[in-house]
Amino acid sequence: MKTSLTRRQALKAGTLAASAAFVNLPSLFARSSSYNAEFVSMTDEERAFYYFEGQEGVKARLFANENPFGPSEKAIAAITNSLKDSYMYPFDERAELQRKIAAYEGVSEDHILLGAGSTQLLMAAGVAFGMKGGEIVISHPTFDSLPKYAEGVGGKLVKIDVDNGLNQQLGKMADAVNAKTSLVYTVNPMNPTGTQVSGQEMRDFCNSISSKAPVFVDEAYIDYHPEGLTASTISCVQQGKNVIVCKTFSKVHGFAGLRVGYCVARPDLLAKMKPFSTGGFDLSRPAVLAATASVDDKAFLSMSVQQTEESKQLLYKGLKAVGASVIPSFTNFAMFPIDMNGSTFLSRMKEKGVLVRSWNFKNQDWCRVSIGRKDEMEAFNKALAQVV
Amino acid sequence: MKTSLTRRQALKAGTLAASAAFVNLPSLFARSSSYNAEFVSMTDEERAFYYFEGQEGVKARLFANENPFGPSEKAIAAITNSLKDSYMYPFDERAELQRKIAAYEGVSEDHILLGAGSTQLLMAAGVAFGMKGGEIVISHPTFDSLPKYAEGVGGKLVKIDVDNGLNQQLGKMADAVNAKTSLVYTVNPMNPTGTQVSGQEMRDFCNSISSKAPVFVDEAYIDYHPEGLTASTISCVQQGKNVIVCKTFSKVHGFAGLRVGYCVARPDLLAKMKPFSTGGFDLSRPAVLAATASVDDKAFLSMSVQQTEESKQLLYKGLKAVGASVIPSFTNFAMFPIDMNGSTFLSRMKEKGVLVRSWNFKNQDWCRVSIGRKDEMEAFNKALAQVV
């Protein structure tokens, strides 16, 4: 299997880039606002790039790993039924959600810390463990919210490159842990690469490392893991280990616009994060009620994973058709190498109404494409064939 | 005018308290969860106290300064119309809200920092200015989220008692500012006392003090100020002063359950808070769209203030009927002294289906009652007459 697009395709791309300005990027950049780009994953420039007036012309919104198969009808109904109560803080309702999540994860309520999306919690952990110059061991690349917040308060990042298959190198990460390490941050399955570590390997890693430093396992995409929830490290938390598991409703539940996430950990670990958290006071009533309706809706979750898998097979077909390498994906997105400058590629895809993201690491440009509806994957495949 | 309930009433209350357990508080306390009580205004115990299974039996929910006259129909319609898009992060929509708020406040977009409710922003400021042992000058009592977060990271609080009319003593606060002061925190109109400082006096205070330390003005209730929005210190921000103004949609807009707040300040001041903020990434799509529909809806805001005023007059009538002192209120709540232990008072009011809060300062117990619908104020008045 080829590892990237062909040289001919790359040359063709370069020629086109030199001959025409396909998208007027500066005018889009001008829309940039003071969104908190220093810390949140997407920069002002990137956000501006994805801005479409009224979303007109967008055929495939595949840049933010959103899940168009959610939220469930039950979740939407829970919101609709509660709108008249929007003037009330959801005190009791949030407590009920916390109870339900605790039951779902098999821990007591004091092991749960809620946040309006996991970004809130990644911030709290990044700050808590990055302060005082603590060293945070991470993969490179990785989902960069927690690392950015850690750096923002003086934390130092120790970056371990992914291997040639874009897998996290847990062994090398373990070797990097020393007395100055304040946190080890890992993501499984991994964003932005889409790769996975087996449940057993990750639990062994946590059990071994957590005696030296706390391990933060970001399981945003765990429902898409081939082992499903059995790949989770929640059992390490249940055993009282020095492990924080972070989960979100944004992915498999389709809640990106509703903002619900949570951490599962020993109360003494959560206590380190709480000075930088409102403990769920930031969750809206619609989000709380929707999450309560969705948290253990196994039929919906299974449908959500299945639909994603079907769209993923369509994507693989399109990638193979243009000779692109397929990095096996265990998430609701996939990464593949492109023989073209990332910005150029994004602009050309955008011209076709297809929004994706790009990375550059290992001296290679990469596209990350989210898994959307089938019509979106078809639009992506068609655009890709034209652009490369 | 009497300053508190009569001695006879107090004795009657004490006798009753000794003779009967009206509400089984321990069983209610058992409902307590790991809500982030160390920092957010209401403690676990208080939250548990206000828990009613399904809210059955509650005749008047007057403990959290919620506004039952909102959200507006436009705001609710904006949510309803967007539910199918709940799976998408509200990137562009949040930028649009930020633009609209900036226009409303007469500043540029880079002067706005969004948060999922002002508590998020009070946390960010408390942490940013409390770190490294900074001294925060505050009133006592005050709205205590920012002070609690500041203390959580080692900040020191310098507390200036309110005067006998429960007014902030700005002169004494000014005197307390010195080289160690990292922030002055003031609330206008004031929570929990309901008192106000004139716009001119507050602006003079800001203009004078802000050359020595940044001033954080919490204007959560500014729409209820007798001078209306002209009492705001936004003009100090517009003039480039060292002033941060914080506002929320939770009160006059009736958005407590939706979670939208924002700070208005020079970009360099907001930059100090951003390491502890997601810059609005925590706002849900329903909240963003509802706020965009509500932010400059002057007809609704005026109706909201007017309805509150009408209910407030009903409350005053009830307070006078039992001989309670009336501290003039310039918010959507009011405070009055009670000659009874606060917890006892709350429990007895709860027995009648009326939920309020209590404080103790200046060697006096106080009740804070929110202004709700007219039927709620009537239920409050009736319960009060029975309880005292």
Side-chain angles (χ1 to χ4, degrees), chain A residues 34 55 92 98 149 257 277 285, chain B residues 34 55 92 98 257 277 285:
Chain A
S34 69
Q55 299 298 318
D92 299 342
Q98 187 159 341
Y149 279 105
S277 154
R285 174 177 285 267
Chain B
S34 70
Q55 298 299 316
D92 299 342
Q98 187 158 341
S277 154
R285 175 177 284 266

Side-chain angles (χ1 to χ4, degrees), chain A residues 34-36 51 55 61 66 86 89 92 94 98 120 149 251 254 257 259 274 277-278 281 285, chain B residues 34-36 51 55 61 66 86-87 89 92 94 98 120 149 251 257 259 274 277-278 281 285:
Chain A
S34 69
Y35 178 59
N36 198 2
Y51 186 93
Q55 299 298 318
R61 181 173 157 122
E66 295 160 338
S86 294
Y89 294 102
D92 299 342
R94 184 180 51 232
Q98 187 159 341
Q120 280 295 309
Y149 279 105
K251 306 307 172 186
R259 318 307 303 127
K274 283 186 173 183
S277 154
T278 60
F281 201 70
R285 174 177 285 267
Chain B
S34 70
Y35 178 58
N36 198 2
Y51 186 94
Q55 298 299 316
R61 180 172 157 124
E66 295 161 337
S86 294
Y87 73 91
Y89 295 101
D92 299 342
R94 184 179 51 232
Q98 187 158 341
Q120 280 295 310
Y149 279 105
K251 306 307 171 186
R259 317 307 303 128
K274 283 186 173 182
S277 154
T278 59
F281 200 71
R285 175 177 284 266

